[in-house]
């Protein structure tokens, strides 16, 4: 629920920023898909289950969404941020190459 609200506001804000800057993106691909994925991927590291959900057994609290999988930590958040930045860099470089070739 929180992820959806934050991502919606972020995407809308990015679409409005693109309009103010006068950039051409007829379908708002950057604002919706690019930045929505960017913020959503980072928020996975922030909103993941807590450490008490790291093991799946009879003592696992009922509030755990995915016990035994990803847990919230600074290390996980760092991995999420690094991965998002690498994907962004890759997309930027591939776009530049395609623009030069075509």
């Amino acid at each position: 629920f929180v992820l959806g609200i934050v991502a919606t506001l972020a995407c809308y804000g990015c679409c409005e920023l693109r309009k103010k800057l006068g950039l051409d993106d007829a379908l708002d691909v950057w604002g919706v898909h690019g930045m929505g994925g960017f913020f959503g991927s980072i928020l996975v590291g922030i909103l993941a289950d807590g450490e008490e959900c790291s093991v799946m057994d009879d003592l696992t609290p009922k509030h755990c969404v995915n016990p035994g999988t990803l847990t919230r930590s600074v290390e996980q958040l760092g991995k999420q941020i690094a991965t998002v930045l690498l994907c962004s860099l890759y997309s930027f470089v591939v776009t530049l190459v395609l623009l030069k070739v075509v």
Side-chain angles (χ1 to χ4, degrees):
F1 180 75
V2 173
L3 183 64
I5 291 173
V6 172
T8 299
L9 295 173
C11 291
Y12 180 75
C14 289
C15 290
E16 291 300 310
L17 175 65
R18 181 209 47 88
K19 288 178 195 172
K20 282 192 183 217
L21 295 175
L23 300 173
D24 182 27
D25 186 4
L27 299 174
D28 285 328
V29 173
W30 173 79
V32 175
H33 298 284
M35 297 314 292
F38 185 90
F39 288 117
S41 295
I42 291 174
L43 286 175
V44 166
I46 295 171
L47 299 173
D49 285 333
E51 190 64 36
E52 68 276 8
C53 300
S54 63
V55 179
M56 191 163 106
D57 58 16
D58 293 338
L59 301 174
T60 303
K62 298 228 186 277
H63 69 272
C64 296
V65 177
N66 293 310
T69 60
L70 179 72
T71 57
R72 177 178 52 240
S73 68
V74 173
E75 179 185 358
Q76 183 60 41
L77 179 61
K79 289 178 183 179
Q80 296 293 125
I81 292 171
T83 303
V84 166
L85 292 175
L86 285 173
C87 288
S88 298
L89 178 64
Y90 172 79
S91 296
F92 181 77
V93 170
V94 168
T95 300
L96 280 180
V97 169
L98 288 174
L99 286 171
K100 295 292 182 187
V101 170
V102 176

